[in-house]
Amino acid sequence: MFYIIGPRGSGKTTIGKKLAESKGYQFVDTDKLILERAGKTIAEIVEQYGWEYFRQLETETLKSILQDKTIVSTGGGLVLAEENQKIMRDNGTVIYLNAKPDVLAKRLAAEPQADQRPSLTGKSLVEEIEEVMQQREPIYRATAHHVIDATQSIDDIIAQLNDLT
């Protein structure tokens, strides 16, 4: 089982799908699973129930995905809960897709998904990413078994990940 962590725009879903395809594994995106189960967008969930409730949904969802031969793409903030960090480290290999805030902002601006989730800070995209990464970078690194440079080509990243197993 592989867990792919990292901020929005790092390529978790794209890499996760490709890795699952190359290994013949199942692919699960925690955000997508939450959307399907709740019947609402993340923005709607947060607006109606708040971030704490959404974070609880993330943990419940993570606990529900403990089957072998699965690649799990996680929401960017899923690592904030120590329980989630432990679940991932104890049940699989955790891969952190790392990229600088300006790269992430360019990727997100190129494919805006406003309904995906609301701003965490109310600041500009680059400012928000910098602020969020300042908080999360140490957590991503401490949780991950492997750190991968997410600015490489998809094929190069997949080749590196296939070499890990």
Side-chain angles (χ1 to χ4, degrees), residues 3-142:
Y3 297 94
I4 303 177
I5 63 173
R8 289 190 307 149
S10 62
K12 298 181 302 284
T13 299
T14 301
I15 297 301
K17 284 180 180 174
K18 289 266 190 198
L19 182 62
E21 195 178 289
S22 76
K23 298 180 96 37
Y25 282 19
Q26 178 183 345
F27 173 74
V28 178
D29 181 312
T30 59
D31 281 350
K32 189 170 183 225
L33 202 52
I34 290 169
L35 293 173
E36 289 169 5
R37 290 177 177 175
K40 299 177 192 283
T41 66
I42 292 171
E44 290 168 338
I45 294 168
V46 171
E47 188 180 314
Q48 290 178 1
Y49 306 106
W51 278 107
E52 191 175 324
Y53 177 79
F54 175 72
R55 295 297 180 211
Q56 289 172 348
L57 288 179
E58 284 185 315
T59 299
E60 290 169 20
T61 301
L62 188 63
K63 286 178 179 176
S64 75
I65 313 166
L66 292 176
Q67 54 274 45
D68 284 339
K69 296 192 176 188
T70 303
I71 308 292
V72 180
S73 169
T74 66
L78 186 133
V79 298
L80 296 175
E82 284 184 34
E83 180 179 5
N84 295 347
Q85 297 166 31
K86 182 170 175 26
I87 290 168
M88 291 187 293
R89 287 193 61 85
D90 289 352
N91 291 289
T93 302
V94 184
I95 309 297
Y96 167 33
L97 292 180
N98 180 28
K100 299 220 178 303
D102 60 323
V103 171
L104 299 170
K106 281 181 194 158
R107 288 180 178 177
L108 291 171
E111 291 184 48
Q113 296 177 315
D115 67 327
Q116 183 78 14
R117 73 146 187 81
S119 169
L120 291 168
T121 62
K123 297 181 178 179
S124 77
L125 192 56
V126 175
E127 287 176 319
E128 177 176 313
I129 291 169
E130 286 173 348
E131 191 172 303
V132 168
M133 285 303 294
Q134 205 168 20
Q135 175 199 13
R136 294 182 185 172
E137 173 79 11
I139 299 169
Y140 288 139
R141 288 190 178 275

